[in-house]
Structure formats: C-alpha cells, structure tokens
Amino acid sequence: MRLLTTLFLIFALSGCQSAYYATMEKVGVHKRDIMADRVEAASEAQQEASEQFTSALEALTALTNFDGGELEAMYNTINDQYEESEATVENVKERIDAVEDVSDALFDEWQEELSLYSSANLRRESERKLKNTERSYTQMLAAMRKAESKMEPVLDTLRDNSLYLKHNLNAAAIGALKGEFAGLEDDINLAIKDMQAAISESERFLATLKN
C-alpha cells in the first residue's frame, strides 16, 4: 500500500496520469478499481463538506444570538469556519476532477478494446455494459457538479461575513449580519441536499460499475 501511495504521489505531482495508470496496471490495479476508489473518495469529501457546512451554520447561529462577550473570539470562530469550509470545498473539487480524469481514460480504453473481440456476441455484450456504465456515470457526474456549484454561494457569504465582522467588531455588525443569515441558511441547506443526492448517485454508479 505504501508503494502504491508513493507511486500515486510521484505521478500526481508530475501530472502524468497516463503513466500513473499504466504503472498501476502493472501491479494489478486497473482503471476500474481506481475509478471506484475515487468515486468513494469524492462521496466521502462531499459528506465531510456537508458536515462542515452544518458546523459553519451552527457557528453563525450562535453569532446571530450573540448577547455580550468577546467579539474577537467570535470573529476567530467564524473565520475558522470559513477557512475550513473553503478547504473542504477545494477537496471536493479535486476529488471530482480525479473521478472525471480516470473515467475518461477508462471509457476510452473500453471503447478501443471493443474492436479486439473476435466474438460478435461478447463484443455486443461488452458494448451494452459500456453504454449502461457511461449512462450511470453521466448522471452521477452531473449530480456531483450540481452540488459543487451550490457550494460557491455558501463560501462567498461565509467570506463576506468573516470580512465584515473582522472590520466591524461591534454589536451593530451582528445586527447587519442577521439580515444575511436567512439567505445563507437556505444556501447551506440546498447545498447539503444536493450533496446527499450526489452521494446517492455515487452509490448507484458503484453498484453498476461492480456488476
């Protein structure tokens, strides 16, 4: 496992994914296996983002209910939530990009290898499975990208709140941010809903891939 991790880091840093896939194939790890692992990783990243957005919402709820205390500490909490949210969203994007990269390589290889069959029946069956897998994959990727797009408004509002609070550490600032809270709450709930939908699509796709 340590060798595989090292190989991944080497090729990921070099940007040479085709060489990475070829090397992994030589040690018995095929594109289908890599794809399944990356889909699972993307789902885990989305789940982590859902939990982080929920944590950020709880922190902002506490802010809007602020009734005296140390505003500097409150700002630090809100800013930490923004930075953690930004990191989790970036991780989601990277995971989805990785899924898309290996899927392109897998489907191209699968399509090319159809011409190698001598049996027409086996070729038709393989082609049918390819189309079914591609259809399921397309639905999953669309769900992932939709969820990803809903994360940006959340990050924008979290950043705005953090910046505003940073430069206005007073009770009036809390009142101003209360007006933004309802919209942010809606955005977060919508993003979480879409992330959960994408996770469900990932589970369906993995079932298709493994069958």
Side-chain angles (χ1 to χ4, degrees), residues 9-28:
L9 290 173
I10 291 172
F11 289 114
L13 289 172
S14 68
C16 189
Q17 286 293 300
S18 59
Y20 167 69
Y21 298 139
T23 300
M24 296 299 280
E25 192 105 1
K26 290 179 181 178
V27 295

Side-chain angles (χ1 to χ4, degrees), residues 1-210:
M1 179 60 69
R2 184 172 297 176
L3 173 61
L4 297 183
T5 302
T6 302
L7 288 171
F8 171 78
L9 290 173
I10 291 172
F11 289 114
L13 289 172
S14 68
C16 189
Q17 286 293 300
S18 59
Y20 167 69
Y21 298 139
T23 300
M24 296 299 280
E25 192 105 1
K26 290 179 181 178
V27 295
V29 181
H30 302 281
K31 294 182 184 71
R32 180 183 294 267
D33 304 316
I34 297 171
M35 188 175 193
D37 287 344
R38 291 187 180 182
V39 169
E40 289 175 355
S43 291
E44 290 172 1
Q46 289 174 97
Q47 184 59 44
E48 290 170 2
S50 295
E51 293 168 1
Q52 175 53 39
F53 278 2
T54 299
S55 178
L57 184 60
E58 290 171 352
L60 285 163
T61 300
L63 174 64
T64 59
N65 294 326
F66 182 77
D67 187 25
E70 181 54 59
L71 271 172
E72 182 72 30
M74 185 64 74
Y75 160 71
N76 289 334
T77 298
I78 296 302
N79 191 58
D80 287 346
Q81 290 293 333
Y82 163 65
E83 291 179 349
E84 289 174 15
S85 296
E86 185 179 40
T88 56
V89 169
E90 184 59 33
N91 186 42
V92 168
K93 291 179 179 180
E94 290 175 357
R95 297 293 185 180
I96 296 174
D97 288 345
V99 168
E100 197 164 11
D101 185 89
V102 71
S103 70
D104 289 342
L106 173 63
F107 292 139
D108 286 347
E109 179 184 72
W110 197 339
Q111 183 64 47
E112 290 173 2
E113 290 179 346
L114 290 175
S115 63
L116 301 179
Y117 282 95
S118 58
S119 168
N121 288 336
L122 291 178
R123 181 172 60 252
R124 281 193 297 270
E125 178 63 14
S126 183
E127 187 172 18
R128 183 188 66 80
K129 289 183 178 179
L130 169 59
K131 289 180 179 178
N132 287 340
T133 305
E134 285 181 316
R135 188 180 303 112
S136 179
Y137 165 76
T138 299
Q139 292 174 347
M140 178 195 68
L141 184 64
M144 284 184 171
R145 291 301 188 191
K146 180 182 178 183
E148 178 189 340
S149 71
K150 298 296 175 58
M151 297 178 189
E152 290 301 329
V154 174
L155 276 185
D156 289 344
T157 305
L158 289 176
R159 181 181 61 249
D160 289 350
N161 288 353
S162 178
L163 287 171
Y164 188 79
L165 192 59
K166 177 180 181 180
H167 297 291
N168 299 274
L169 289 175
N170 52 58
I174 306 299
L177 293 179
K178 284 182 180 180
E180 302 288 326
F181 182 73
L184 176 63
E185 186 175 20
D186 288 342
D187 285 344
I188 286 178
N189 288 333
L190 185 57
I192 290 175
K193 178 182 177 182
D194 284 345
M195 280 188 276
Q196 293 304 317
I199 291 170
S200 295
E201 285 293 342
S202 297
E203 292 172 353
R204 280 191 282 272
F205 173 72
L206 286 172
T208 300
L209 190 67
K210 292 175 181 179

